[in-house]
């Protein structure tokens, strides 16, 4: 790439080469009159002498510019900030165009989110190719869903490693570390993009790491044996494990299968915070931590680079001095970074967007489903629909490991953790959302309210619509023998499979439906007012279709509607001070 391609030549600021096109709302590369022309010409208005069609039989090669002819206009340099705008001859002046919605999308998620780079990176082909070359990717080895989809909920696994790569990182992390999963966040974005949850998974959590098929550097496949009762952070790096192993461990732990992963090292925090001009954090007390090299006074500070890395690495100086306290500090930092990335000063600055593009594509490793700027842009635009007030940071509920005298690890809090995982699996928000959503939820909940018919009067036909084979018969036997629903029958397989179990009923069967919903543990959303069917005995009945979410007769299908008491959580729009 020549000097112009790198963004600076002859003391030209790269920000002055990228101009907002008011007609398209995109930034475009525009070189000054004295600058040599790149392989992609800047947009310009055609001159009258150029309107004639080219000679027959001659066609220009795609992507090549025509040599400049004497007298042909060259796009003028970008107007300096503060100087009056001069309208083009023969045209009225017009107001500066507002930044397009694509520039105002919420481009965030801290040191592990590559999509912060891409919404403003429209422009020259050669620069896009340069960014694509920056991106490092590794195989997901079949551990993902195959990549996020625009019409479904999104689950991205964000992994921060403790590997000592990059200049100036010798004093951080464990010497010689292969790069363990030191910081891990499962980011869930709802199907309607109205809310999201960023769930932190403690590195010292005791889990079962499953067997992991991995792709080696030479392209061969190797199955790395799993480990029972191991620290979560060993799911990466240990014994040659790749990010796909961490992905499988998260699926085993939470029941949520991630769509994609992103891995960041120490340099990601340093370079991304410097690219946006620093982020503002708050301390409730003075901190002087010789281990992380963080020294800050009480109050608000703008930090970047080495100081930002020290902030997210410190743990002995905050809270109880352990990893859980550091998780809270990291969540505060990511919230601050998101607010900075959402700020118009960042989104409308070409130089900052270019710096972010360079820093992010060099600092992050992604899975093979996210190995291009185009794919990252699509993900960024989906995430950009979210408001930070509906993004909740939460921590996996844990307790001290009762098997240890000296507390070094933690285990799941079995009374609350399953509920948190179920909320993510069932796309339930941790925050209050739009009023309309509340009204819809109230209407659905109302289906469960009212009189319930006796179990002996419930008539239902059971279909298998995606559950394990034999589930319909198992449920029939359970309802008849244990629950007294004797007027029921097995209808076999449904015509199509369903993700969720449903109960369809006619208006005059509402009391029966409420009784069966109570027995089955069905939510109001599973109840579908409709029509009845006729059983083999010729009587009207409801239709219970067991979906893929069915886990067995007697297992409740009601998703939790709020986070359990005591779960640590905060939202990204609020400023909190570390203590």
């Amino acid at each position: 790439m020549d000097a112009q391609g790198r963004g600076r030549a002859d003391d030209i600021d790269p920000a002055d080469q990228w101009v907002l096109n008011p007609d398209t709302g995109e930034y475009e590369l525009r070189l000054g009159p004295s600058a040599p022309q790149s392989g992609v010409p800047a947009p310009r208005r055609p001159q009258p002498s150029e309107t004639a069609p080219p000679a027959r039989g001659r066609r220009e090669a795609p992507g090549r510019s025509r040599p400049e002819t004497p007298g042909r206009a060259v796009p003028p340099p970008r107007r300096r900030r503060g100087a009056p705008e001069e309208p083009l001859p023969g045209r009225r002046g017009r107001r500066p165009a507002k930044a397009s919605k694509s520039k105002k999308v919420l481009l965030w998620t801290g040191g592990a989110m590559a999509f912060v780079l891409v919404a403003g990176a429209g422009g020259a082909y050669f620069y896009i190719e340069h960014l694509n070359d920056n991106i490092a990717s590794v195989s997901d080895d079949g551990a993902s869903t195959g990549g996020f989809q625009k019409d479904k909920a999104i689950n991205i696994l964000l992994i921060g490693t403790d590997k000592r790569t990059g200049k100036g990182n010798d004093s951080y992390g464990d010497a010689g570390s292969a790069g363990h999963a030191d910081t891990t966040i499962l980011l869930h974005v709802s199907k309607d993009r109205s809310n999201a949850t960023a769930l932190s998974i403690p590195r010292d959590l005791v889990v079962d790491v499953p067997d992991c098929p991995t792709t080696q550097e030479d392209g061969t496949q190797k199955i790395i044996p799993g480990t029972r009762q191991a620290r979560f952070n060993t799911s990466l790096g240990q014994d040659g494990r790749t990010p796909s192993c961490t992905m499988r461990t998260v699926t085993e732990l939470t029941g949520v299968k991630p769509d994609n992963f992103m891995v960041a090292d120490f340099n990601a925090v340093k370079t991304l915070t410097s690219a946006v001009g620093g982020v503002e954090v708050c301390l409730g007390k003075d901190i002087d931590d010789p281990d992380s090299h963080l020294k800050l006074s009480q109050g608000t500070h703008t930090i970047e680079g080495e100081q930002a890395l020290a902030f997210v690495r410190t743990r002995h100086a905050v809270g109880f001095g352990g990893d859980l306290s550091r998780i809270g500090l990291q969540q505060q930092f990511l919230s601050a970074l998101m607010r900075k990335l959402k700020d118009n000063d960042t989104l409308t600055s070409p130089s900052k967007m270019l710096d972010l593009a360079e820093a992010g594509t060099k600092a992050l490793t992604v899975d093979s489903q996210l190995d291009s700027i185009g794919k990252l842009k699509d993900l960024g635009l989906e995430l950009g629909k979210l408001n930070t007030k509906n993004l909740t940071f939460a921590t996996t509920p844990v307790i001290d490991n009762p098997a240890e005298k000296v507390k070094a690890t933690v285990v799941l809090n079995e009374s609350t953790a399953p509920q948190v995982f179920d909320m993510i699996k069932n796309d339930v928000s941790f925050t209050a959302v739009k009023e309309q959503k509340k009204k819809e939820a109230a209407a659905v909940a109302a289906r469960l309210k009212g009189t319930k018919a006796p179990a002996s009067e419930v008539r239902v036909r059971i279909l298998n619509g995606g559950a394990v084979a034999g589930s319909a018969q198992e449920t029939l036997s359970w309802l008849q023998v244990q629950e007294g629903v004797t007027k029921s029958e097995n209808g076999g397989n449904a015509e199509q499979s369903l993700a969720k179990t449903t109960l369809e009923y006619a208006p005059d069967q509402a009391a029966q439906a409420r009784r069966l919903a109570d027995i089955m543990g069905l939510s109001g959303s599973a109840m579908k007012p409709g029509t009845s069917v006729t059983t083999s005995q010729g009587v009207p009945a409801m239709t219970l279709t067991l979906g893929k979410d069915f886990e067995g007769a007697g297992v409740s299908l009601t998703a939790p509607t709020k986070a359990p008491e005591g779960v640590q959580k905060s939202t990204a729009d609020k400023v909190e001070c570390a203590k």
Side-chain angles (χ1 to χ4, degrees):
M1 184 181 299
D2 59 20
Q4 288 292 340
R6 292 180 186 275
R8 180 173 291 276
D10 299 326
D11 297 323
I12 297 174
D13 191 324
D16 291 331
Q17 296 176 277
W18 290 82
V19 182
L20 181 66
N21 185 328
D23 296 322
T24 66
E26 297 290 336
Y27 284 101
E28 299 172 347
L29 184 68
R30 181 169 295 182
L31 305 179
S34 60
Q37 301 301 298
S38 71
V40 179
R44 58 186 179 81
R45 296 174 58 83
Q47 302 301 310
S49 60
E50 301 171 348
T51 57
R56 296 183 63 184
R58 296 183 61 190
R59 301 181 66 179
E60 294 185 11
R64 297 187 60 186
S65 60
R66 202 179 285 176
E68 294 293 338
T69 58
R72 182 166 293 175
V74 176
R78 181 185 180 190
R79 178 173 61 89
R80 291 184 177 275
R81 188 173 299 169
E85 184 176 2
E86 298 181 6
L88 293 172
R91 295 183 63 186
R92 294 182 179 179
R94 66 193 209 179
R95 296 178 183 176
K98 294 182 179 179
S100 69
K101 289 183 179 179
S102 64
K103 300 298 179 300
K104 293 182 178 180
V105 295
L106 179 58
L107 306 171
W108 45 254
T109 322
M113 299 308 289
F115 43 79
V116 302
L117 331 165
V118 295
Y125 170 79
F126 73 86
Y127 189 70
I128 297 298
E129 287 301 297
H130 164 68
L131 293 179
N132 281 331
D133 290 341
N134 283 349
I135 298 172
S137 66
V138 294
S139 174
D140 65 0
D141 295 309
S144 76
T145 62
F148 79 95
Q149 297 183 43
K150 294 182 179 180
D151 59 346
K152 294 184 178 180
I154 297 174
N155 294 293
I156 306 294
L157 190 63
L158 312 175
I159 307 170
T161 76
D162 61 352
K163 192 172 184 179
R164 292 184 172 189
T165 54
K167 182 179 179 181
N169 295 325
D170 294 342
S171 59
Y172 293 109
D174 297 326
S177 172
H180 296 120
D182 212 35
T183 299
T184 304
I185 296 175
L186 177 62
L187 175 67
H188 171 82
V189 184
S190 67
K191 180 179 179 179
D192 64 4
R193 311 297 186 247
S194 68
N195 64 87
T197 301
L199 181 67
S200 293
I201 301 175
R203 67 171 192 175
D204 296 327
L205 175 62
V206 175
V207 297
D208 290 337
V209 180
D211 293 346
C212 182
T214 61
T215 302
Q216 304 298 300
E217 292 184 2
D218 60 1
T220 60
Q221 295 290 319
K222 177 183 178 182
I223 297 180
I224 300 176
T227 307
R228 289 185 55 81
Q229 297 297 286
R231 290 184 189 230
F232 177 86
N233 68 342
T234 61
S235 65
L236 178 65
Q238 197 84 356
D239 301 321
R241 292 179 177 129
T242 64
S244 67
C245 300
T246 304
M247 190 176 270
R248 294 181 192 278
T249 304
V250 168
T251 302
E252 187 87 4
L253 174 70
T254 66
V256 179
K257 193 171 188 177
D259 301 307
N260 301 96
F261 65 73
M262 294 180 178
V263 183
D265 58 17
F266 293 145
N267 282 338
V269 177
K270 294 194 290 187
T271 56
L272 288 175
T273 52
S274 295
V276 297
V279 297
E280 188 176 277
V281 296
C282 180
L283 296 178
K285 63 178 182 179
D286 295 344
I287 289 183
D288 187 358
D289 186 353
D291 293 317
S292 68
H293 313 298
L294 179 66
K295 186 174 183 179
L296 289 174
S297 60
Q298 178 181 352
T300 301
H301 301 270
T302 298
I303 60 175
E304 64 176 280
E306 292 287 348
Q307 198 172 44
L309 179 58
F311 185 88
V312 299
R313 292 287 303 165
T314 193
R315 57 172 171 160
H316 300 301
V318 293
F320 295 104
D323 185 53
L324 294 179
S325 298
R326 180 168 64 178
I327 285 176
L329 197 70
Q330 291 171 344
Q331 292 175 346
Q332 177 202 345
F333 174 82
L334 290 176
S335 295
L337 181 55
M338 292 174 201
R339 292 192 296 271
K340 183 61 177 285
L341 289 168
K342 186 186 176 186
D343 189 274
N344 280 338
D345 288 343
T346 301
L347 295 177
T348 58
S349 170
S351 60
K352 286 184 179 179
M353 294 305 293
L354 290 175
D355 288 344
L356 276 168
E358 288 290 342
T361 52
K362 289 179 179 177
L364 304 174
T365 298
V366 299
D367 67 88
S368 49
Q369 310 295 334
L370 286 177
D371 59 356
S372 73
I373 284 294
K375 295 175 182 178
L376 291 170
K377 180 197 71 174
D378 289 342
L379 177 58
L381 292 176
E382 288 301 304
L383 297 168
K385 300 172 184 176
L386 178 68
N387 190 314
T388 51
K389 71 179 182 180
N390 287 332
L391 167 61
T392 303
F393 282 98
T395 302
T396 301
V398 296
I399 58 175
D400 288 334
N401 189 346
E404 295 177 335
K405 291 184 178 179
V406 178
K407 304 305 180 184
T409 62
V410 293
V411 296
L412 279 184
N413 183 335
E414 295 294 347
S415 65
T416 53
Q419 186 174 342
V420 170
F421 299 153
D422 283 346
M423 289 181 69
I424 294 177
K425 283 192 293 185
N426 290 284
D427 204 17
V428 177
S429 173
F430 277 64
T431 61
V433 292
K434 297 178 181 178
E435 194 65 29
Q436 182 60 33
K437 296 292 183 183
K438 293 181 181 179
K439 292 180 180 178
E440 292 174 0
V444 168
R447 296 172 187 169
L448 295 170
K449 297 179 179 179
T451 59
K452 299 181 180 69
S456 59
E457 295 182 7
V458 174
R459 292 182 173 88
V460 61
R461 188 166 183 255
I462 306 168
L463 302 178
N464 191 330
V468 175
S471 294
Q473 184 58 45
E474 176 194 2
T475 302
L476 176 67
S477 300
W478 174 72
L479 286 175
Q480 291 183 339
V481 175
Q482 298 190 38
E483 301 298 330
V485 183
T486 56
K487 298 175 182 178
S488 50
E489 68 176 24
N490 184 349
N493 292 328
E495 294 182 358
Q496 59 183 7
S497 91
L498 301 176
K500 304 285 187 180
T501 297
T502 63
L503 174 62
E504 184 177 358
Y505 58 96
D508 60 351
Q509 296 171 320
Q512 294 183 46
R514 285 190 284 268
R515 173 59 65 191
L516 187 59
D518 183 57
I519 294 172
M520 295 287 299
L522 295 175
S523 65
S525 60
M527 300 172 66
K528 307 294 181 184
T531 59
S532 62
V533 294
T534 303
T535 67
S536 57
Q537 285 79 35
V539 295
M542 301 179 293
T543 301
L544 175 66
T545 305
L546 307 178
K548 295 178 181 178
D549 62 334
F550 183 77
E551 296 182 359
V555 179
S556 175
L557 290 165
T558 302
T561 57
K562 62 180 182 179
E565 294 296 327
V567 174
Q568 178 184 341
K569 59 184 187 295
S570 62
T571 52
D573 62 321
K574 296 179 181 178
V575 178
E576 297 186 8
C577 296
K579 297 179 180 180

